Amino acid sequence: MQINKSDRNDAVGIARIMQCGWYKEVRVKDLDSHAVKGLLVSRALLVKIKRDLENQIRGLLKNLGLVIGRAKMNVFAVRAAELVEDRPQLAAAVEPLLKTREAVELQIADLDRKALRLARNDVQVRRFMTVPGVGAITALCFLATIDDPTRFKRSRSVGAYLGLTTRRYASGEIDWTGRISKCGDKLLRSYLYEAANVLLTRVAKWSVLKAWGIRVTKRSGLRKAKVAVARKLSVILHRMWVDGTEFNWSAKEVAAQSA
């Protein structure tokens, strides 16, 4: 912002900013958190590559009217191989993708085993996993991303830190609330969203958190309810970390949400 920019002037400007306190401290995570986060990022990348390969295979087959349909685990590869069995030219394009997909799938399985091993050896991660919908990957990602729960004075601040709170613009007579800010860690935000989806659609056991999410669903729709529950999950996980407690299926988590 200075008219005359030079290294000397930049140094003077930085010194003035530090003297006046016009800066925010940046939290430096420890090496263990960086290592865990690196493992999860690698896994997420491989999962994306696998999904892209499957979509490419589906697209090649669909051009000829061949549809794999819904296929999980090894069914996808078996079904794709059956469809190209009598079509050598198509098989020449699809088979390398299938072999690459198989290799990527093996690496994902290896990373999953490492993640589960880390989860079993960490007491706090096991506590996180008592929350319905939260698995080992989500719990590890929350632990590695937050790193130190004392960073936040209030548990509800975690939701804003992860970009799960709405944006707001207020100026003069204009005052509107938009969609979530999507600030912070994208990977953890996506995992919390998936955990919220599992909680609302697959977990059969009832809880105050699920009851609250169902009410939001009836009022605003399932998509917004998933985002709202994801924010609640971030708040509850942080409060559990601070208090050293497990998830309580009764009304006690309401107090944690308002902390």
Side-chain angles (χ1 to χ4, degrees), residues 44-76:
L45 178 60
L46 290 176
V47 170
K48 181 180 182 301
I49 292 173
K50 177 188 173 184
R51 184 173 61 249
D52 291 343
L53 288 170
E54 291 177 351
N55 290 337
Q56 181 66 29
I57 294 171
R58 288 179 183 275
L60 290 173
L61 296 177
K62 193 174 182 180
N63 288 334
L64 299 179
L66 305 174
V67 179
I68 295 179
R70 296 186 61 182
K72 297 182 179 180
M73 306 300 290
N74 296 329
V75 178
F76 180 90

Side-chain angles (χ1 to χ4, degrees), residues 35-46:
V36 173
K37 193 61 180 295
L39 184 146
L40 296 176
V41 170
S42 297
R43 179 188 178 277
L45 178 60
L46 290 176

Side-chain angles (χ1 to χ4, degrees), residues 40-196:
L40 296 176
V41 170
S42 297
R43 179 188 178 277
L45 178 60
L46 290 176
V47 170
K48 181 180 182 301
I49 292 173
K50 177 188 173 184
R51 184 173 61 249
D52 291 343
L53 288 170
E54 291 177 351
N55 290 337
Q56 181 66 29
I57 294 171
R58 288 179 183 275
L60 290 173
L61 296 177
K62 193 174 182 180
N63 288 334
L64 299 179
L66 305 174
V67 179
I68 295 179
R70 296 186 61 182
K72 297 182 179 180
M73 306 300 290
N74 296 329
V75 178
F76 180 90
V78 173
R79 177 62 177 159
E82 291 175 352
L83 292 174
V84 301
E85 185 175 2
D86 298 329
R87 298 174 174 84
Q89 293 182 343
L90 184 60
V94 172
E95 287 179 355
L97 298 179
L98 288 174
K99 292 179 180 179
T100 304
R101 175 186 175 275
E102 182 181 2
V104 172
E105 198 171 34
L106 292 175
Q107 295 300 321
I108 293 174
D110 182 60
L111 290 177
D112 284 341
R113 287 191 293 269
K114 293 179 180 178
L116 290 174
R117 193 179 305 116
L118 290 173
R120 285 195 297 266
N121 295 331
D122 194 294
V123 176
Q124 188 56 53
V125 172
R126 294 201 301 270
R127 290 197 187 106
F128 288 155
M129 292 173 64
T130 61
V131 180
V134 176
I137 301 297
T138 303
L140 280 171
C141 191
F142 188 86
L143 185 81
T145 303
I146 302 302
D147 186 53
D148 182 7
T150 60
R151 297 168 57 192
F152 304 94
K153 295 181 180 179
R154 298 184 305 173
S155 295
R156 67 179 62 181
S157 300
V158 180
Y161 173 75
L162 297 177
L164 291 168
T165 54
T166 56
R167 298 183 180 186
R168 185 182 179 189
Y169 180 86
S171 178
E173 297 180 355
I174 302 176
D175 189 356
W176 58 267
T177 301
R179 297 184 177 181
I180 59 174
S181 64
K182 294 186 179 181
C183 299
D185 191 88
K186 180 179 179 181
L187 184 62
L188 177 56
R189 188 167 59 250
S190 65
Y191 284 154
L192 289 174
Y193 184 85
E194 292 178 8

Side-chain angles (χ1 to χ4, degrees), residues 130 132-133 198-211 214 247-250 253:
T130 61
V198 172
L199 173 63
L200 292 174
T201 61
R202 300 181 187 177
V203 175
K205 188 176 180 180
W206 205 255
S207 65
V208 173
L209 178 59
K210 182 172 182 176
I214 295 299
F247 181 79
N248 195 316
W249 294 80
S250 66
E253 67 260 26

